[in-house]
Structure formats: structure tokens, C-alpha cells
Amino acid sequence: MKELILMKSGEIALKGLNRGSFEDLLIKNAKYRLRSLGKFRFFKAQSTLYAEPQDENIDLDEAVERLSQVFGIAALCRACVVEKDFDHICSQAKEYLAQDLLCANTFKVEAKRSDKSFPMKSPDICRELGGFLLEQFPHLQVDVHEPDVTVTVEIRDFAAYIHARQLPGAGGIPVGSSGKGALLISGGIDSPVAGYMMAKRGMQLCAVHFVSPPYTSDRAKLKVLQLLKQVSRYAMGIETFIVPFTHVQEEIRDHCPEEFFTIIMRRLMMQVAQAICEQTGALALITGESVGQVASQTVQAIACTDAVCQVPVFRPVIGMDKREIVAVANRIGTFETSILPYEDCCTVFTPRHPRTRPKLAEIQQAEQALDIPGLLQECLANVEKIWVTPGLELETEFA
Ligand code: ATP
Ligand code: MG
């Protein structure tokens, strides 16, 4: 029995003349995710994409799992490929769906006939196939409103396809269709979610992570790489820049008022990340800030941070409660890693009483004590680059 994977593109169908290039990107990303599983042939017809395995031993459940993480796909399923002949459709449906139908109490049949030359109309297919399956599985009853199993038959250009388990896709639009953004990622819960959310809107990601050895450990860095690896299942490969930040933090500690420490540090982070944007062609910064969550995320503090940014700063979780962010983190598989207790450079030298309503002029005044161009240059000269992919092997895997 021949099987393949059917994918329905969602929002892409609304893209008018650009639709072809969105679909091409989607196929490129799908191929990227399936490459290590084996050879597939991809083709498209009538807002459906097909991934056809070229080798019998390919793990199709794993392929479906991976494709369910590719943005631009609204729904997907494994389907059996059948000759466009009604008797054949009946016998194959019986065989292919036996397991599902034996475990179900109720079912219905849905037919979609895009090949109008097929002699039976959709309602006839539903009725006749439904009758046939009732005979074959006498314990079943028809329920058109809330069936346990919906048997779908699609009569298309090249063949008929039978399936019963359509799954929701990742939604969104294909990664790469909205340019590139530089994600400032910590080891926390919020920033991996922020990266996922912008990738969902088509942004390719590069990532910037600041480390402060010896105050932060190698394990903290590995934890961030593991988070990025998880995000890359959705966002595809992520060029990652690890930036040593110890000297910057010590300079701020030694020369600036303690109450401004965090906000000045964040302004420097933004400037380093902007320089990385220039190097990589990224058009925006992405952070995991949420209004009011901590002292550096009051509206006044965010305004002071934004004042050094020349590119847009996207903060997709800005209006979300922690609980809502955690729900997404759980869904995308980053939560368990995020809560591992390794220190972040943001928690090094945190002020006892940070100013929650800083004034930009005061901050700028305090920064006069620093050689900012020199510090930026030093950071950028010592960046470590790592290409993070879903298959990246890490020396330590946590959680
Ligand atoms: P998160 O859960 O993402 O760590 P948070 O609630 O802990 O967020 P902060 O520690 O104040 O908040 O950080 C706010 C944002 O600053 C983070 O979401 C992230 O975008 C960025 N950030 C914090 N620490 C780092 C770091 N070490 N490297 C890069 N970006 C960072
Ligand atoms: Mg944090």
C-alpha cells in the first residue's frame, strides 16, 4: 500500500501572486526538516503539498511529527494513495483504516472531488463508501456531527487519497518569508517563546546570547544552545553569536550608579545585537520582554532601552502573562530546559534597588563614565559563532 503525507497550506492561499514563492519556501523548509530521515519527492497541486517517501523504510510518523513543526502548514496527515476507481477505494479504505475503525464507535465519510471527471459526485461517494464500511465493520454507527473517526476521500488529479487522522499544522507563514531577526536569548522561559512567535510570522532567526564567565558557567551556555536547538525545529537553522560580556558588566559595576546597572547593561546588549544585525542582514531585534514583569521591563525602562535602537524591536510576549508564556513554552518543548537552574548574565551584579522609572537623560549622563565604542568593539572582536540546527549534537543534553 502506497502512502504519502498531505499538507494543506493555510494563510499562504491568500497570498495572491506571491503564493508560488511562499509555497517554494515552505517546501524548502519541509525538505530541510526531513532531509535526515530519507529521500522524499515534493510536489504541489490545488493548495495541497505532497511529500512522497522514496524508500519504504522511512519513518512516516516521525516525518509527520517534524512537518507539524513547519510554519505555513495549516493541517496535515498520512494518506493512502489509491487508483481512482470506486471498488478500489472501498477495499483500500477497509484495509488502510481497519485499525482506526475497529477502535471507533461512530464514523462519517467526507468526500472531496476536485477531479470533476470522476463519475460519482461527492454525496454519492459518502453514501456508498459509508454503506460499504458499515457492512464491513458492523459495530459502527454513523454520526455526522461528532464522529470518532472521519474517513476522508479526496479524488484529485493523479490519484485518490484516503485518510482518517488529519492533524493541526503549526500555522503561521513559512520561515524566511519575513526577513531575518536577531533574537536576544537568555536561558529563561520568555525569549525562546519570543523567537518561536516571530519565526511563526515568517522571520528567519539569528541569535545573540551574552555570557559572563566566570560568573556564568559553560553549562548555562549549553542550556541556551539546547533551547535554540528546540526552537530550530520550528525556525530552521539559527546562526548563533555567543558574546562575552564580563568586562562590560564589570565596567558598569565599577563606574555607574548601582540603581542603573540593569538598564545600562540592556542598552549595551541592544547595541551589540544591532551590530550583529548589520553583519547578518537582520532587520529587527527580538526580545522576551513583558511589561511589568521585572524592574527593567517597566514602560519607562523599555523606553530607555529603545532609545539606543535604530532598528525595530519586536517583543511578541509583551502583553502576555507568565502563565500564558509558560503554556506556549510547554507546547513547543522549551519549558523543561528553561527552568533548569543555571545563572544568566542578567542575574550577575543585580542592583538591590533598581530604578523602575529611569529618566533617559540620567541614564545617558551615567553612561558618560564608560568607553562605549571601545566596549562594543571588544565584545564584537571576541564573539563565538555556532550554527544551531535540530540535529546539533551537544556534549551535554539536559532534561
Ligand atoms: P527570559 O525568560 O527570556 O530570560 P526574563 O523575564 O528573565 O526573560 P530578563 O532577564 O529581564 O527577563 O531579560 C529580558 C530579555 O532580555 C530577555 O527576554 C532576552 O530577550 C534578553 N536577555 C536577557 N538576558 C540575556 C542574555 N544573557 N543574552 C541575550 N539576551 C538576554
Ligand atoms: Mg532572563
Side-chain angles (χ1 to χ4, degrees), residues 126-150:
C126 291
R127 198 182 50 248
E128 303 267 330
L129 178 59
F132 172 80
L133 291 174
L134 276 175
E135 271 170 30
Q136 303 298 319
F137 300 92
H139 72 285
L140 284 177
Q141 285 189 322
V142 174
D143 178 346
V144 291
H145 301 296
E146 263 185 90
D148 297 337
V149 171
T150 301

mmCIF file with all atom_site columns, all heavy atoms in Angstrom, residues 126-150:
data_model
loop_
_atom_site.group_PDB
_atom_site.id
_atom_site.type_symbol
_atom_site.label_atom_id
_atom_site.label_alt_id
_atom_site.label_comp_id
_atom_site.label_asym_id
_atom_site.label_entity_id
_atom_site.label_seq_id
_atom_site.pdbx_PDB_ins_code
_atom_site.Cartn_x
_atom_site.Cartn_y
_atom_site.Cartn_z
_atom_site.occupancy
_atom_site.B_iso_or_equiv
_atom_site.pdbx_formal_charge
_atom_site.auth_seq_id
_atom_site.auth_comp_id
_atom_site.auth_asym_id
_atom_site.auth_atom_id
_atom_site.pdbx_PDB_model_num
ATOM 1   N N   . CYS A 1 126 ? -19.845 9.499  -0.447 1.00 0.00 ? 126 CYS A N   1
ATOM 2   C CA  . CYS A 1 126 ? -20.038 9.410  1.013  1.00 0.00 ? 126 CYS A CA  1
ATOM 3   C C   . CYS A 1 126 ? -21.028 8.301  1.344  1.00 0.00 ? 126 CYS A C   1
ATOM 4   O O   . CYS A 1 126 ? -20.792 7.470  2.228  1.00 0.00 ? 126 CYS A O   1
ATOM 5   C CB  . CYS A 1 126 ? -20.575 10.725 1.578  1.00 0.00 ? 126 CYS A CB  1
ATOM 6   S SG  . CYS A 1 126 ? -19.379 12.048 1.510  1.00 0.00 ? 126 CYS A SG  1
ATOM 7   N N   . ARG A 1 127 ? -22.133 8.320  0.621  1.00 0.00 ? 127 ARG A N   1
ATOM 8   C CA  . ARG A 1 127 ? -23.196 7.364  0.937  1.00 0.00 ? 127 ARG A CA  1
ATOM 9   C C   . ARG A 1 127 ? -22.749 5.926  0.662  1.00 0.00 ? 127 ARG A C   1
ATOM 10  O O   . ARG A 1 127 ? -22.867 5.044  1.497  1.00 0.00 ? 127 ARG A O   1
ATOM 11  C CB  . ARG A 1 127 ? -24.447 7.712  0.124  1.00 0.00 ? 127 ARG A CB  1
ATOM 12  C CG  . ARG A 1 127 ? -25.726 7.086  0.668  1.00 0.00 ? 127 ARG A CG  1
ATOM 13  C CD  . ARG A 1 127 ? -26.927 7.427  -0.193 1.00 0.00 ? 127 ARG A CD  1
ATOM 14  N NE  . ARG A 1 127 ? -26.678 7.162  -1.595 1.00 0.00 ? 127 ARG A NE  1
ATOM 15  C CZ  . ARG A 1 127 ? -26.578 8.108  -2.543 1.00 0.00 ? 127 ARG A CZ  1
ATOM 16  N NH1 . ARG A 1 127 ? -26.744 9.377  -2.231 1.00 0.00 ? 127 ARG A NH1 1
ATOM 17  N NH2 . ARG A 1 127 ? -26.333 7.776  -3.793 1.00 0.00 ? 127 ARG A NH2 1
ATOM 18  N N   . GLU A 1 128 ? -22.171 5.736  -0.511 1.00 0.00 ? 128 GLU A N   1
ATOM 19  C CA  . GLU A 1 128 ? -21.798 4.373  -0.916 1.00 0.00 ? 128 GLU A CA  1
ATOM 20  C C   . GLU A 1 128 ? -20.641 3.822  -0.080 1.00 0.00 ? 128 GLU A C   1
ATOM 21  O O   . GLU A 1 128 ? -20.665 2.682  0.370  1.00 0.00 ? 128 GLU A O   1
ATOM 22  C CB  . GLU A 1 128 ? -21.397 4.353  -2.394 1.00 0.00 ? 128 GLU A CB  1
ATOM 23  C CG  . GLU A 1 128 ? -22.461 4.871  -3.324 1.00 0.00 ? 128 GLU A CG  1
ATOM 24  C CD  . GLU A 1 128 ? -23.358 3.758  -3.856 1.00 0.00 ? 128 GLU A CD  1
ATOM 25  O OE1 . GLU A 1 128 ? -22.867 2.636  -3.993 1.00 0.00 ? 128 GLU A OE1 1
ATOM 26  O OE2 . GLU A 1 128 ? -24.553 4.037  -4.101 1.00 0.00 ? 128 GLU A OE2 1
ATOM 27  N N   . LEU A 1 129 ? -19.649 4.642  0.126  1.00 0.00 ? 129 LEU A N   1
ATOM 28  C CA  . LEU A 1 129 ? -18.495 4.177  0.918  1.00 0.00 ? 129 LEU A CA  1
ATOM 29  C C   . LEU A 1 129 ? -18.929 3.968  2.373  1.00 0.00 ? 129 LEU A C   1
ATOM 30  O O   . LEU A 1 129 ? -18.524 3.008  3.027  1.00 0.00 ? 129 LEU A O   1
ATOM 31  C CB  . LEU A 1 129 ? -17.320 5.165  0.823  1.00 0.00 ? 129 LEU A CB  1
ATOM 32  C CG  . LEU A 1 129 ? -16.085 4.811  1.637  1.00 0.00 ? 129 LEU A CG  1
ATOM 33  C CD1 . LEU A 1 129 ? -15.525 3.438  1.228  1.00 0.00 ? 129 LEU A CD1 1
ATOM 34  C CD2 . LEU A 1 129 ? -14.991 5.868  1.489  1.00 0.00 ? 129 LEU A CD2 1
ATOM 35  N N   . GLY A 1 130 ? -19.771 4.881  2.878  1.00 0.00 ? 130 GLY A N   1
ATOM 36  C CA  . GLY A 1 130 ? -20.297 4.739  4.240  1.00 0.00 ? 130 GLY A CA  1
ATOM 37  C C   . GLY A 1 130 ? -21.015 3.409  4.387  1.00 0.00 ? 130 GLY A C   1
ATOM 38  O O   . GLY A 1 130 ? -20.792 2.661  5.352  1.00 0.00 ? 130 GLY A O   1
ATOM 39  N N   . GLY A 1 131 ? -21.877 3.085  3.415  1.00 0.00 ? 131 GLY A N   1
ATOM 40  C CA  . GLY A 1 131 ? -22.628 1.824  3.442  1.00 0.00 ? 131 GLY A CA  1
ATOM 41  C C   . GLY A 1 131 ? -21.693 0.628  3.426  1.00 0.00 ? 131 GLY A C   1
ATOM 42  O O   . GLY A 1 131 ? -21.857 -0.328 4.199  1.00 0.00 ? 131 GLY A O   1
ATOM 43  N N   . PHE A 1 132 ? -20.686 0.704  2.570  1.00 0.00 ? 132 PHE A N   1
ATOM 44  C CA  . PHE A 1 132 ? -19.719 -0.397 2.471  1.00 0.00 ? 132 PHE A CA  1
ATOM 45  C C   . PHE A 1 132 ? -18.991 -0.607 3.801  1.00 0.00 ? 132 PHE A C   1
ATOM 46  O O   . PHE A 1 132 ? -18.871 -1.738 4.292  1.00 0.00 ? 132 PHE A O   1
ATOM 47  C CB  . PHE A 1 132 ? -18.706 -0.083 1.350  1.00 0.00 ? 132 PHE A CB  1
ATOM 48  C CG  . PHE A 1 132 ? -17.569 -1.049 1.278  1.00 0.00 ? 132 PHE A CG  1
ATOM 49  C CD1 . PHE A 1 132 ? -17.718 -2.283 0.657  1.00 0.00 ? 132 PHE A CD1 1
ATOM 50  C CD2 . PHE A 1 132 ? -16.327 -0.737 1.844  1.00 0.00 ? 132 PHE A CD2 1
ATOM 51  C CE1 . PHE A 1 132 ? -16.652 -3.185 0.593  1.00 0.00 ? 132 PHE A CE1 1
ATOM 52  C CE2 . PHE A 1 132 ? -15.264 -1.620 1.793  1.00 0.00 ? 132 PHE A CE2 1
ATOM 53  C CZ  . PHE A 1 132 ? -15.427 -2.849 1.165  1.00 0.00 ? 132 PHE A CZ  1
ATOM 54  N N   . LEU A 1 133 ? -18.558 0.479  4.422  1.00 0.00 ? 133 LEU A N   1
ATOM 55  C CA  . LEU A 1 133 ? -17.803 0.340  5.678  1.00 0.00 ? 133 LEU A CA  1
ATOM 56  C C   . LEU A 1 133 ? -18.703 -0.180 6.801  1.00 0.00 ? 133 LEU A C   1
ATOM 57  O O   . LEU A 1 133 ? -18.264 -0.939 7.663  1.00 0.00 ? 133 LEU A O   1
ATOM 58  C CB  . LEU A 1 133 ? -17.143 1.672  6.060  1.00 0.00 ? 133 LEU A CB  1
ATOM 59  C CG  . LEU A 1 133 ? -15.999 2.107  5.117  1.00 0.00 ? 133 LEU A CG  1
ATOM 60  C CD1 . LEU A 1 133 ? -15.499 3.510  5.466  1.00 0.00 ? 133 LEU A CD1 1
ATOM 61  C CD2 . LEU A 1 133 ? -14.836 1.117  5.162  1.00 0.00 ? 133 LEU A CD2 1
ATOM 62  N N   . LEU A 1 134 ? -19.982 0.221  6.786  1.00 0.00 ? 134 LEU A N   1
ATOM 63  C CA  . LEU A 1 134 ? -20.931 -0.286 7.796  1.00 0.00 ? 134 LEU A CA  1
ATOM 64  C C   . LEU A 1 134 ? -21.086 -1.801 7.679  1.00 0.00 ? 134 LEU A C   1
ATOM 65  O O   . LEU A 1 134 ? -21.181 -2.502 8.689  1.00 0.00 ? 134 LEU A O   1
ATOM 66  C CB  . LEU A 1 134 ? -22.295 0.380  7.627  1.00 0.00 ? 134 LEU A CB  1
ATOM 67  C CG  . LEU A 1 134 ? -22.471 1.740  8.301  1.00 0.00 ? 134 LEU A CG  1
ATOM 68  C CD1 . LEU A 1 134 ? -23.844 2.321  7.943  1.00 0.00 ? 134 LEU A CD1 1
ATOM 69  C CD2 . LEU A 1 134 ? -22.350 1.616  9.820  1.00 0.00 ? 134 LEU A CD2 1
ATOM 70  N N   . GLU A 1 135 ? -21.092 -2.276 6.440  1.00 0.00 ? 135 GLU A N   1
ATOM 71  C CA  . GLU A 1 135 ? -21.186 -3.727 6.231  1.00 0.00 ? 135 GLU A CA  1
ATOM 72  C C   . GLU A 1 135 ? -19.935 -4.439 6.752  1.00 0.00 ? 135 GLU A C   1
ATOM 73  O O   . GLU A 1 135 ? -20.010 -5.515 7.348  1.00 0.00 ? 135 GLU A O   1
ATOM 74  C CB  . GLU A 1 135 ? -21.282 -4.044 4.735  1.00 0.00 ? 135 GLU A CB  1
ATOM 75  C CG  . GLU A 1 135 ? -22.683 -4.073 4.191  1.00 0.00 ? 135 GLU A CG  1
ATOM 76  C CD  . GLU A 1 135 ? -22.659 -4.140 2.654  1.00 0.00 ? 135 GLU A CD  1
ATOM 77  O OE1 . GLU A 1 135 ? -21.699 -4.713 2.086  1.00 0.00 ? 135 GLU A OE1 1
ATOM 78  O OE2 . GLU A 1 135 ? -23.587 -3.579 2.057  1.00 0.00 ? 135 GLU A OE2 1
ATOM 79  N N   . GLN A 1 136 ? -18.801 -3.838 6.503  1.00 0.00 ? 136 GLN A N   1
ATOM 80  C CA  . GLN A 1 136 ? -17.534 -4.471 6.864  1.00 0.00 ? 136 GLN A CA  1
ATOM 81  C C   . GLN A 1 136 ? -17.249 -4.388 8.359  1.00 0.00 ? 136 GLN A C   1
ATOM 82  O O   . GLN A 1 136 ? -16.568 -5.240 8.920  1.00 0.00 ? 136 GLN A O   1
ATOM 83  C CB  . GLN A 1 136 ? -16.370 -3.806 6.102  1.00 0.00 ? 136 GLN A CB  1
ATOM 84  C CG  . GLN A 1 136 ? -16.514 -3.828 4.590  1.00 0.00 ? 136 GLN A CG  1
ATOM 85  C CD  . GLN A 1 136 ? -16.537 -5.243 4.050  1.00 0.00 ? 136 GLN A CD  1
ATOM 86  O OE1 . GLN A 1 136 ? -15.776 -6.106 4.500  1.00 0.00 ? 136 GLN A OE1 1
ATOM 87  N NE2 . GLN A 1 136 ? -17.453 -5.518 3.119  1.00 0.00 ? 136 GLN A NE2 1
ATOM 88  N N   . PHE A 1 137 ? -17.739 -3.304 8.988  1.00 0.00 ? 137 PHE A N   1
ATOM 89  C CA  . PHE A 1 137 ? -17.487 -3.106 10.427 1.00 0.00 ? 137 PHE A CA  1
ATOM 90  C C   . PHE A 1 137 ? -18.851 -2.901 11.101 1.00 0.00 ? 137 PHE A C   1
ATOM 91  O O   . PHE A 1 137 ? -19.233 -1.769 11.415 1.00 0.00 ? 137 PHE A O   1
ATOM 92  C CB  . PHE A 1 137 ? -16.583 -1.884 10.662 1.00 0.00 ? 137 PHE A CB  1
ATOM 93  C CG  . PHE A 1 137 ? -15.229 -1.985 10.001 1.00 0.00 ? 137 PHE A CG  1
ATOM 94  C CD1 . PHE A 1 137 ? -15.028 -1.470 8.716  1.00 0.00 ? 137 PHE A CD1 1
ATOM 95  C CD2 . PHE A 1 137 ? -14.158 -2.585 10.648 1.00 0.00 ? 137 PHE A CD2 1
ATOM 96  C CE1 . PHE A 1 137 ? -13.785 -1.559 8.110  1.00 0.00 ? 137 PHE A CE1 1
ATOM 97  C CE2 . PHE A 1 137 ? -12.915 -2.687 10.033 1.00 0.00 ? 137 PHE A CE2 1
ATOM 98  C CZ  . PHE A 1 137 ? -12.732 -2.172 8.757  1.00 0.00 ? 137 PHE A CZ  1
ATOM 99  N N   . PRO A 1 138 ? -19.583 -3.990 11.317 1.00 0.00 ? 138 PRO A N   1
ATOM 100 C CA  . PRO A 1 138 ? -20.982 -3.866 11.755 1.00 0.00 ? 138 PRO A CA  1
ATOM 101 C C   . PRO A 1 138 ? -21.152 -3.222 13.132 1.00 0.00 ? 138 PRO A C   1
ATOM 102 O O   . PRO A 1 138 ? -22.256 -2.790 13.469 1.00 0.00 ? 138 PRO A O   1
ATOM 103 C CB  . PRO A 1 138 ? -21.486 -5.320 11.771 1.00 0.00 ? 138 PRO A CB  1
ATOM 104 C CG  . PRO A 1 138 ? -20.397 -6.171 11.251 1.00 0.00 ? 138 PRO A CG  1
ATOM 105 C CD  . PRO A 1 138 ? -19.166 -5.385 11.095 1.00 0.00 ? 138 PRO A CD  1
ATOM 106 N N   . HIS A 1 139 ? -20.088 -3.130 13.922 1.00 0.00 ? 139 HIS A N   1
ATOM 107 C CA  . HIS A 1 139 ? -20.237 -2.479 15.243 1.00 0.00 ? 139 HIS A CA  1
ATOM 108 C C   . HIS A 1 139 ? -20.346 -0.958 15.110 1.00 0.00 ? 139 HIS A C   1
ATOM 109 O O   . HIS A 1 139 ? -20.702 -0.270 16.067 1.00 0.00 ? 139 HIS A O   1
ATOM 110 C CB  . HIS A 1 139 ? -19.029 -2.822 16.133 1.00 0.00 ? 139 HIS A CB  1
ATOM 111 C CG  . HIS A 1 139 ? -17.768 -2.121 15.703 1.00 0.00 ? 139 HIS A CG  1
ATOM 112 N ND1 . HIS A 1 139 ? -17.034 -2.508 14.594 1.00 0.00 ? 139 HIS A ND1 1
ATOM 113 C CD2 . HIS A 1 139 ? -17.141 -1.031 16.198 1.00 0.00 ? 139 HIS A CD2 1
ATOM 114 C CE1 . HIS A 1 139 ? -16.003 -1.703 14.445 1.00 0.00 ? 139 HIS A CE1 1
ATOM 115 N NE2 . HIS A 1 139 ? -16.043 -0.794 15.397 1.00 0.00 ? 139 HIS A NE2 1
ATOM 116 N N   . LEU A 1 140 ? -20.048 -0.413 13.952 1.00 0.00 ? 140 LEU A N   1
ATOM 117 C CA  . LEU A 1 140 ? -20.014 1.048  13.789 1.00 0.00 ? 140 LEU A CA  1
ATOM 118 C C   . LEU A 1 140 ? -21.397 1.658  13.604 1.00 0.00 ? 140 LEU A C   1
ATOM 119 O O   . LEU A 1 140 ? -22.308 1.001  13.112 1.00 0.00 ? 140 LEU A O   1
ATOM 120 C CB  . LEU A 1 140 ? -19.172 1.420  12.557 1.00 0.00 ? 140 LEU A CB  1
ATOM 121 C CG  . LEU A 1 140 ? -17.661 1.343  12.670 1.00 0.00 ? 140 LEU A CG  1
ATOM 122 C CD1 . LEU A 1 140 ? -17.029 1.673  11.322 1.00 0.00 ? 140 LEU A CD1 1
ATOM 123 C CD2 . LEU A 1 140 ? -17.137 2.298  13.741 1.00 0.00 ? 140 LEU A CD2 1
ATOM 124 N N   . GLN A 1 141 ? -21.504 2.931  14.014 1.00 0.00 ? 141 GLN A N   1
ATOM 125 C CA  . GLN A 1 141 ? -22.703 3.712  13.687 1.00 0.00 ? 141 GLN A CA  1
ATOM 126 C C   . GLN A 1 141 ? -22.260 5.008  13.027 1.00 0.00 ? 141 GLN A C   1
ATOM 127 O O   . GLN A 1 141 ? -21.163 5.497  13.282 1.00 0.00 ? 141 GLN A O   1
ATOM 128 C CB  . GLN A 1 141 ? -23.467 4.053  14.962 1.00 0.00 ? 141 GLN A CB  1
ATOM 129 C CG  . GLN A 1 141 ? -24.222 2.853  15.501 1.00 0.00 ? 141 GLN A CG  1
ATOM 130 C CD  . GLN A 1 141 ? -25.150 3.257  16.621 1.00 0.00 ? 141 GLN A CD  1
ATOM 131 O OE1 . GLN A 1 141 ? -24.809 4.116  17.427 1.00 0.00 ? 141 GLN A OE1 1
ATOM 132 N NE2 . GLN A 1 141 ? -26.307 2.624  16.661 1.00 0.00 ? 141 GLN A NE2 1
ATOM 133 N N   . VAL A 1 142 ? -23.131 5.562  12.219 1.00 0.00 ? 142 VAL A N   1
ATOM 134 C CA  . VAL A 1 142 ? -22.811 6.829  11.571 1.00 0.00 ? 142 VAL A CA  1
ATOM 135 C C   . VAL A 1 142 ? -23.161 7.980  12.513 1.00 0.00 ? 142 VAL A C   1
ATOM 136 O O   . VAL A 1 142 ? -24.214 7.953  13.146 1.00 0.00 ? 142 VAL A O   1
ATOM 137 C CB  . VAL A 1 142 ? -23.587 6.977  10.242 1.00 0.00 ? 142 VAL A CB  1
ATOM 138 C CG1 . VAL A 1 142 ? -23.361 8.369  9.647  1.00 0.00 ? 142 VAL A CG1 1
ATOM 139 C CG2 . VAL A 1 142 ? -23.124 5.905  9.251  1.00 0.00 ? 142 VAL A CG2 1
ATOM 140 N N   . ASP A 1 143 ? -22.271 8.936  12.641 1.00 0.00 ? 143 ASP A N   1
ATOM 141 C CA  . ASP A 1 143 ? -22.576 10.159 13.392 1.00 0.00 ? 143 ASP A CA  1
ATOM 142 C C   . ASP A 1 143 ? -21.972 11.315 12.605 1.00 0.00 ? 143 ASP A C   1
ATOM 143 O O   . ASP A 1 143 ? -20.758 11.470 12.550 1.00 0.00 ? 143 ASP A O   1
ATOM 144 C CB  . ASP A 1 143 ? -21.948 10.077 14.800 1.00 0.00 ? 143 ASP A CB  1
ATOM 145 C CG  . ASP A 1 143 ? -22.206 11.348 15.612 1.00 0.00 ? 143 ASP A CG  1
ATOM 146 O OD1 . ASP A 1 143 ? -22.625 12.370 15.013 1.00 0.00 ? 143 ASP A OD1 1
ATOM 147 O OD2 . ASP A 1 143 ? -21.984 11.321 16.830 1.00 0.00 ? 143 ASP A OD2 1
ATOM 148 N N   . VAL A 1 144 ? -22.810 12.107 11.992 1.00 0.00 ? 144 VAL A N   1
ATOM 149 C CA  . VAL A 1 144 ? -22.264 13.165 11.120 1.00 0.00 ? 144 VAL A CA  1
ATOM 150 C C   . VAL A 1 144 ? -21.827 14.400 11.908 1.00 0.00 ? 144 VAL A C   1
ATOM 151 O O   . VAL A 1 144 ? -21.164 15.279 11.375 1.00 0.00 ? 144 VAL A O   1
ATOM 152 C CB  . VAL A 1 144 ? -23.265 13.598 10.022 1.00 0.00 ? 144 VAL A CB  1
ATOM 153 C CG1 . VAL A 1 144 ? -23.472 12.492 8.998  1.00 0.00 ? 144 VAL A CG1 1
ATOM 154 C CG2 . VAL A 1 144 ? -24.578 14.044 10.622 1.00 0.00 ? 144 VAL A CG2 1
ATOM 155 N N   . HIS A 1 145 ? -22.208 14.488 13.196 1.00 0.00 ? 145 HIS A N   1
ATOM 156 C CA  . HIS A 1 145 ? -21.867 15.689 13.973 1.00 0.00 ? 145 HIS A CA  1
ATOM 157 C C   . HIS A 1 145 ? -20.564 15.532 14.748 1.00 0.00 ? 145 HIS A C   1
ATOM 158 O O   . HIS A 1 145 ? -19.678 16.373 14.648 1.00 0.00 ? 145 HIS A O   1
ATOM 159 C CB  . HIS A 1 145 ? -23.015 16.049 14.913 1.00 0.00 ? 145 HIS A CB  1
ATOM 160 C CG  . HIS A 1 145 ? -24.291 16.304 14.187 1.00 0.00 ? 145 HIS A CG  1
ATOM 161 N ND1 . HIS A 1 145 ? -24.427 17.354 13.307 1.00 0.00 ? 145 HIS A ND1 1
ATOM 162 C CD2 . HIS A 1 145 ? -25.456 15.625 14.167 1.00 0.00 ? 145 HIS A CD2 1
ATOM 163 C CE1 . HIS A 1 145 ? -25.647 17.327 12.778 1.00 0.00 ? 145 HIS A CE1 1
ATOM 164 N NE2 . HIS A 1 145 ? -26.284 16.279 13.292 1.00 0.00 ? 145 HIS A NE2 1
ATOM 165 N N   . GLU A 1 146 ? -20.462 14.465 15.553 1.00 0.00 ? 146 GLU A N   1
ATOM 166 C CA  . GLU A 1 146 ? -19.241 14.277 16.337 1.00 0.00 ? 146 GLU A CA  1
ATOM 167 C C   . GLU A 1 146 ? -18.720 12.859 16.221 1.00 0.00 ? 146 GLU A C   1
ATOM 168 O O   . GLU A 1 146 ? -18.721 12.104 17.202 1.00 0.00 ? 146 GLU A O   1
ATOM 169 C CB  . GLU A 1 146 ? -19.509 14.603 17.812 1.00 0.00 ? 146 GLU A CB  1
ATOM 170 C CG  . GLU A 1 146 ? -19.102 16.015 18.180 1.00 0.00 ? 146 GLU A CG  1
ATOM 171 C CD  . GLU A 1 146 ? -19.274 16.248 19.677 1.00 0.00 ? 146 GLU A CD  1
ATOM 172 O OE1 . GLU A 1 146 ? -18.315 15.993 20.414 1.00 0.00 ? 146 GLU A OE1 1
ATOM 173 O OE2 . GLU A 1 146 ? -20.387 16.646 20.072 1.00 0.00 ? 146 GLU A OE2 1
ATOM 174 N N   . PRO A 1 147 ? -18.284 12.460 15.031 1.00 0.00 ? 147 PRO A N   1
ATOM 175 C CA  . PRO A 1 147 ? -17.839 11.072 14.861 1.00 0.00 ? 147 PRO A CA  1
ATOM 176 C C   . PRO A 1 147 ? -16.495 10.848 15.543 1.00 0.00 ? 147 PRO A C   1
ATOM 177 O O   . PRO A 1 147 ? -15.698 11.779 15.682 1.00 0.00 ? 147 PRO A O   1
ATOM 178 C CB  . PRO A 1 147 ? -17.689 10.955 13.339 1.00 0.00 ? 147 PRO A CB  1
ATOM 179 C CG  . PRO A 1 147 ? -17.397 12.349 12.882 1.00 0.00 ? 147 PRO A CG  1
ATOM 180 C CD  . PRO A 1 147 ? -18.114 13.271 13.817 1.00 0.00 ? 147 PRO A CD  1
ATOM 181 N N   . ASP A 1 148 ? -16.250 9.602  15.970 1.00 0.00 ? 148 ASP A N   1
ATOM 182 C CA  . ASP A 1 148 ? -14.918 9.260  16.497 1.00 0.00 ? 148 ASP A CA  1
ATOM 183 C C   . ASP A 1 148 ? -13.896 9.318  15.364 1.00 0.00 ? 148 ASP A C   1
ATOM 184 O O   . ASP A 1 148 ? -12.755 9.729  15.569 1.00 0.00 ? 148 ASP A O   1
ATOM 185 C CB  . ASP A 1 148 ? -14.914 7.838  17.086 1.00 0.00 ? 148 ASP A CB  1
ATOM 186 C CG  . ASP A 1 148 ? -15.847 7.715  18.281 1.00 0.00 ? 148 ASP A CG  1
ATOM 187 O OD1 . ASP A 1 148 ? -16.132 8.750  18.910 1.00 0.00 ? 148 ASP A OD1 1
ATOM 188 O OD2 . ASP A 1 148 ? -16.304 6.589  18.568 1.00 0.00 ? 148 ASP A OD2 1
ATOM 189 N N   . VAL A 1 149 ? -14.294 8.880  14.183 1.00 0.00 ? 149 VAL A N   1
ATOM 190 C CA  . VAL A 1 149 ? -13.377 8.853  13.038 1.00 0.00 ? 149 VAL A CA  1
ATOM 191 C C   . VAL A 1 149 ? -14.055 9.494  11.830 1.00 0.00 ? 149 VAL A C   1
ATOM 192 O O   . VAL A 1 149 ? -15.204 9.185  11.526 1.00 0.00 ? 149 VAL A O   1
ATOM 193 C CB  . VAL A 1 149 ? -12.992 7.399  12.679 1.00 0.00 ? 149 VAL A CB  1
ATOM 194 C CG1 . VAL A 1 149 ? -12.220 7.351  11.360 1.00 0.00 ? 149 VAL A CG1 1
ATOM 195 C CG2 . VAL A 1 149 ? -12.161 6.761  13.783 1.00 0.00 ? 149 VAL A CG2 1
ATOM 196 N N   . THR A 1 150 ? -13.349 10.414 11.190 1.00 0.00 ? 150 THR A N   1
ATOM 197 C CA  . THR A 1 150 ? -13.838 10.953 9.926  1.00 0.00 ? 150 THR A CA  1
ATOM 198 C C   . THR A 1 150 ? -12.996 10.356 8.805  1.00 0.00 ? 150 THR A C   1
ATOM 199 O O   . THR A 1 150 ? -11.789 10.592 8.731  1.00 0.00 ? 150 THR A O   1
ATOM 200 C CB  . THR A 1 150 ? -13.718 12.497 9.899  1.00 0.00 ? 150 THR A CB  1
ATOM 201 O OG1 . THR A 1 150 ? -14.476 13.023 10.978 1.00 0.00 ? 150 THR A OG1 1
ATOM 202 C CG2 . THR A 1 150 ? -14.233 13.069 8.580  1.00 0.00 ? 150 THR A CG2 1
#
